[in-house]
Amino acid sequence: MKITVIGTGYVGLVSGACMAEVGNDVLCLDLDAQKIQILKDGGIPIHEPGLLEMVRRNVAAGRLHFTTDVERAAHHGTIQFIAVGTPPDEDGSADLKYVLAAARTIGRLMTDYKVVVDKSTVPVGTADLVQAAIAEELAARGVETPFSVVSNPEFLKEGAAVEDFMRPDRIVVGASDERAIHLMRALYAPFQRNHERLIVTDVRSAELTKYAANAMLATRISFMNELANLAEKLGADIEMVRQGIGSDPRIGYSFLYPGAGYGGSCFPKDVKALIKTASDKAGIDLKVLGAVEAANDAQKHVMGNKVKAHFGDDLTGRHFALWGLAFKPDTDDMRDAPSRTLLADLFAAGATVTAYDPVAMKEAKRIYGDEPRLRYTDMAMDALEGADALLIVTEWKEFRSADLQQIGKMLTTPLIVDGRNIYDPAFMREHGIDYVSIGR
């Protein structure tokens, strides 16, 4: 099957590579010539485990191609995936200008039947706007070329996106046209060979499903973070509480880990967009999600507050080691990462920082440029040199079994502030380390 993917960001590139992996002829379009050149040169513009090898394998096999030629892309695929960015507007709503520009381009250039698939995370009602944009372009040309618009939201976890696409737990397709549904079933058949995972809904239900899923997960995180803050005050251990409630099959263990707050490209943006959609389109105040967002914003300051509780509000002359910059392990994504809030709090109080992250330091350097208060090191232990304390923001595996004796020796003050509860408090005490974590 010939497929066009518009946008080679996180969603578009993973989707294109995985669809090529099962034998489809995939052409990925992006107007960013530099990004396309990176891909043509055998690289990828993001960090995602397994993706680089898959891209190279399918390019070599002639199944995966990259272009900036919009006309070539419009003519290539019977199925046209729109996987462009939907950044938050100033009011929190999703900015659809890139989605609608892609739709208009398809309408302006298409010459035969197309299934236009909204893969980007978009508000309810976007498919109607895409339908109208394409229809307007066709009318302007004086042609009546048939097409269908489908909602097919992605449910990919950064750091496990390739696995999620190749072995999905569900595939949601929002459509009413039988021809389009038939093509989507054929496209996804290789990804659900052992049992049916494809759920067909109406378009608006599919659009809402994506936002609802992310909002539910964000809610679990904020709920646990609030409980963690309560547990500290009451003298309870949130990790024991987590095991106690997670063992209930109605609740489960997923997304019950307390920490420094959620970040990334999805949860913060999607919670805001859903709140805005409810307010503007339905006149409903989503009070629970408003509280989820407020709790998360506050949680991102918890680590900075713990540092100040130990050293005082004025951190002038203090220097800290920071382990972890990405918002989660196995990605270089720093969008809305808790590390950025912590760095802002430390800088505002007068501190300096040496940071280490296995993959996100290039992204950090792009964000912070020549920031004099921030240095980087290529080795985790080197960040401890001359530091008053170690601050852990991202739970990378390599941090789990660090040399605690060496850490205690290198730090000016044997203090670890752990925003991800990696270590056992009793074990830390045995090593003479003052250990401050979340909810314990």
Side-chain angles (χ1 to χ4, degrees), residues 303-315 345-346 348-349:
M303 285 192 69
N305 291 338
K306 289 177 180 294
V307 172
K308 292 176 185 176
H310 190 94
F311 293 103
D313 290 341
D314 185 0
L315 300 177
D345 289 348
L346 294 175

Side-chain angles (χ1 to χ4, degrees), residues 6 47 80 83 127 145 192 200 276 288 324 360 362 390:
I6 303 171
H47 176 85
Q80 301 262 327
T145 309
Q192 46 174 346
V200 178
K276 185 66 175 174
V288 170
K362 181 179 179 181
L390 169 61

